[in-house]
Amino acid sequence: MTFEELGLGPTLLSAIKDAGYETPTPIQEQAIPVALTGRDVLGIAQTGTGKTASFTLPLIERLSRGRARARMPRSLIICPTRELAAQVAENFETYAKNHKLTMALLIGGVAFGPQDKILDQGADVLIATPGRLLDQFERGKLLLTGVQIMVVDEADRMLDMGFIPDIERIFKLVPPRRQTLFFSATMADEITRLVNTFLNDPVRIEVTRQAQTADNINQLFVRIRDKTPAAKRDALRKAIEREGVKNGIVFCNRKRDVDTVARSLQRHGFSAAPIHGDLEQSQRTQTLADFKSDKVRLLVASDVAARGLDIPAVSHVFNFDVPRSADDYVHRIGRTGRAGMSGEAITIVTPEDSKAIDAVTKLIGFVPEELKLGAGSAQAEKKPSEPAKKAAEEQDAQTAAKQESGAKEAEAAPPREPRKRTSGRRRKSETQSRPARRDEGTTAETNPRPARSARRDETESVDAAVGFGDHVPEFLLRPAIR
Ligand code: AMP
């Protein structure tokens, strides 16, 4: 099938051609014609399938007629994280470059001023994280009664991050006669309930996972008996030193390990940088740009921070830790082998991981081959000298010891009193005095339904506020009317 056959107009087809896409991906092939008719869509697909274009393209096509009114967006795209929202915005700009549509990006961690201005001018498309959207609504900057199309992207991640009550609230604020395009990689009970409540007879489109993981991604397990972080870091270095590793993302389960592993790799002469929710937005943007331009070869990331990152050319994914949920495994390895290219995913497995790895193999439907790493290291990036290597190893050991005692201290500290959340609409004074919401770093404290405990250290500050005016993303500095 071709893009021409999907029912898209010539203006969009020209932008798609410029983006270099030749044929639609399966989710695009199935979702676009349905979405163009105005029907609701339930898309079960993960990142890497081309799902963003599958909702952005029909949205642009349907909005191409008509005009935005001040403070009344005509469409709304809700994303769980700032990074994902920013990437959807980038996608939108690519596809809508020949249209006169206006877009506003509402994400936490940036000043309200420029966002207010864009909203005042009127936006056809509003791309937002749930917290900031509700904040702007409560500040009276936004009316949702003009929304004709609502998109929910990565609903499964919304669930993980405790955003479902916010999504329900947003669904109740938009007109009932609207089109909903709803995307999730998995269908947990709570997500099914949401779909049954708020979607109107949706067409269900599922892109099978198994084929995606098996086709062009060579999956390998490195089994080591020693479960210590030092042994895992050693295995990681050897895996990185293998032939054919152009660049890669190293996944860790915990934020503090992201930092440790990145520092350790740097000390051993590798070009590596960390990316996680505690880093300032400007830092994360810079790191990502450095990685995309090959200045940095290895990105060490946590699941939430990496979620939705649009990096087309990654040769390798390394799982420093076996992910806590099998779904995350599929998400992680989906970072390589994108858009038909081949890739490799190497997972370090210790005897402690047996339960988690069983869940992974059950989900993917096979047991990946074992990769045996030799005792010596092949060629290191900058080949640090033997004494330098030794010093690096010693420093690693010291860091590990410090972390151990730090963790113990944290365990010993009394738990903080959880802050109560006012239900429903917050009092005005509260909104004014404390504008930061959940997706700006307060998740665990204010969330009435705590995020799954396993995710806590990620969700607490994934969208931590970076302060007003510290960094304003490029999109917000551009004029709203193009
Ligand atoms: P997504 O699943 O939306 O995160 O998209 C994954 C990647 O595939 C992005 O880098 C897109 O730019 C790219 N992409 C989307 N659709 C196509 C297509 N039809 N052909 C080639 N690449 C695509």
Side-chain angles (χ1 to χ4, degrees):
M1 196 177 253
T2 62
F3 277 107
E4 283 78 7
E5 290 170 281
L6 298 180
L8 299 166
T11 318
L12 257 181
L13 289 174
S14 130
I16 293 168
K17 201 167 164 224
D18 291 348
Y21 304 166
E22 282 168 12
T23 47
T25 64
I27 185 87
Q28 291 163 5
E29 210 175 286
Q30 296 172 70
I32 292 173
V34 176
L36 284 174
T37 67
R39 276 195 72 174
D40 283 4
V41 171
L42 166 61
I44 304 169
Q46 59 198 16
T47 31
T49 54
K51 69 174 169 61
T52 315
S54 79
F55 61 76
T56 317
L57 294 172
L59 183 130
I60 295 168
E61 191 65 63
R62 297 202 66 221
L63 293 178
S64 58
R65 275 146 283 158
R67 266 172 144 229
R69 286 163 55 195
R71 296 182 191 186
M72 286 183 74
R74 294 199 290 151
S75 66
L76 183 59
I77 303 177
I78 314 278
C79 304
T81 63
R82 297 189 295 202
E83 275 82 7
L84 187 61
Q87 270 162 26
V88 171
E90 264 181 48
N91 271 252
F92 173 83
E93 295 214 316
T94 305
Y95 308 137
K97 65 175 191 171
N98 303 323
H99 285 83
K100 283 198 170 62
L101 292 172
T102 54
M103 183 265 288
L105 180 64
L106 288 193
I107 52 176
V110 293
F112 281 98
Q115 295 186 352
D116 290 353
K117 216 165 147 193
I118 296 176
L119 289 175
D120 282 346
Q121 286 166 346
D124 295 294
V125 183
L126 193 58
I127 303 172
T129 48
R132 182 52 73 103
L133 179 84
L134 287 171
D135 269 342
Q136 288 287 29
F137 181 79
E138 283 167 4
R139 293 173 73 236
K141 291 287 167 192
L142 189 61
L143 284 170
L144 293 172
T145 42
V147 172
Q148 297 155 25
I149 307 172
M150 169 153 158
V151 179
V152 178
D153 195 13
E154 306 212 350
D156 52 325
R157 190 58 40 157
M158 306 264 195
L159 175 66
D160 284 346
M161 297 173 76
F163 286 157
I164 297 298
D166 283 350
I167 301 300
E168 286 200 62
R169 206 176 146 215
I170 296 166
F171 264 126
K172 288 176 187 161
L173 294 173
V174 294
R177 280 176 63 82
R178 53 147 207 278
Q179 179 182 27
T180 309
L181 308 175
F182 189 100
F183 289 80
S184 187
T186 52
M187 289 300 291
D189 289 350
E190 220 168 326
I191 293 185
T192 306
R193 186 186 59 78
L194 206 63
V195 165
N196 292 340
T197 313
F198 295 107
L199 270 70
N200 176 23
D201 189 23
V203 176
R204 182 186 165 110
I205 296 163
E206 188 160 2
V207 179
T208 55
R209 210 198 306 262
Q210 229 142 298
Q212 290 162 31
T213 63
D215 273 2
N216 52 350
I217 303 169
N218 185 30
Q219 299 175 59
L220 298 165
F221 283 176
V222 172
R223 293 185 189 271
I224 55 170
R225 255 181 255 144
D226 186 348
K227 61 171 193 194
T228 61
K232 288 171 80 171
R233 287 195 294 265
D234 185 55
L236 175 68
R237 289 195 295 276
K238 284 178 184 147
I240 293 170
E241 285 167 3
R242 293 174 72 240
E243 226 170 276
V245 180
K246 185 184 157 279
N247 60 357
I249 306 180
V250 179
F251 282 99
C252 302
N253 289 355
R254 284 172 294 265
K255 274 185 293 200
R256 64 158 205 240
D257 290 339
V258 167
D259 279 329
T260 317
V261 170
R263 267 199 307 271
S264 164
L265 286 171
Q266 287 162 0
R267 280 199 293 266
H268 283 269
F270 293 92
S271 155
I275 191 159
H276 59 67
D278 277 357
L279 299 173
E280 287 195 348
Q281 179 70 28
S282 52
Q283 237 174 316
R284 291 196 261 175
T285 310
Q286 186 58 49
T287 302
L288 198 57
D290 288 347
F291 185 67
K292 281 185 178 175
S293 64
D294 291 331
K295 261 196 219 154
V296 165
R297 182 179 166 219
L298 300 160
L299 200 61
V300 188
S302 60
D303 288 290
V304 175
R307 178 83 175 191
L309 292 186
D310 186 12
I311 309 159
V314 178
S315 80
H316 279 72
V317 163
F318 301 95
N319 287 318
F320 180 77
D321 298 306
V322 176
R324 294 177 186 122
S325 107
D327 279 340
D328 280 340
Y329 176 86
V330 179
H331 278 295
R332 287 180 182 187
I333 73 165
R335 310 265 120 215
T336 184
R338 289 194 144 196
M341 288 187 306
S342 60
E344 201 161 69
I346 300 178
T347 303
I348 298 171
V349 185
T350 73
E352 279 217 325
D353 302 319
S354 62
K355 222 169 137 193
I357 212 69
D358 283 352
V360 167
T361 53
K362 204 168 146 211
L363 181 65
I364 60 175
F366 72 101
V367 180
E369 236 177 78
E370 189 172 342
L371 169 68
K372 300 260 186 219
L373 298 169
S377 59
Q379 79 270 41
E381 200 156 321
K382 268 200 256 152
K383 265 233 151 179
S385 63
E386 275 315 308
K389 261 189 176 174
K390 218 167 164 204
E393 268 148 29
E394 273 164 19
Q395 273 199 39
D396 280 358
Q398 276 171 13
T399 314
K402 254 195 223 151
Q403 269 185 1
E404 188 104 314
S405 67
K408 277 194 187 128
E409 272 165 34
E411 272 164 30
R416 266 197 296 166
E417 184 83 5
R419 229 185 282 165
K420 282 204 183 76
R421 184 181 186 227
T422 328
S423 64
R425 202 186 163 100
R426 283 184 293 161
R427 273 173 286 118
K428 208 171 172 202
S429 58
E430 187 191 342
T431 318
Q432 281 167 345
S433 61
R434 202 179 65 81
R437 285 186 62 101
R438 212 172 305 157
D439 68 344
E440 291 158 77
T442 55
T443 307
E445 287 178 17
T446 55
N447 193 353
R449 175 197 165 282
R452 274 187 230 158
S453 59
R455 295 223 162 263
R456 260 201 147 176
D457 76 321
E458 287 296 352
T459 53
E460 271 172 11
S461 53
V462 59
D463 268 344
V466 297
F468 289 61
D470 176 38
H471 169 76
V472 180
E474 215 188 321
F475 322 89
L476 293 175
L477 298 172
R478 281 183 222 153
I481 317 281
R482 284 172 305 117

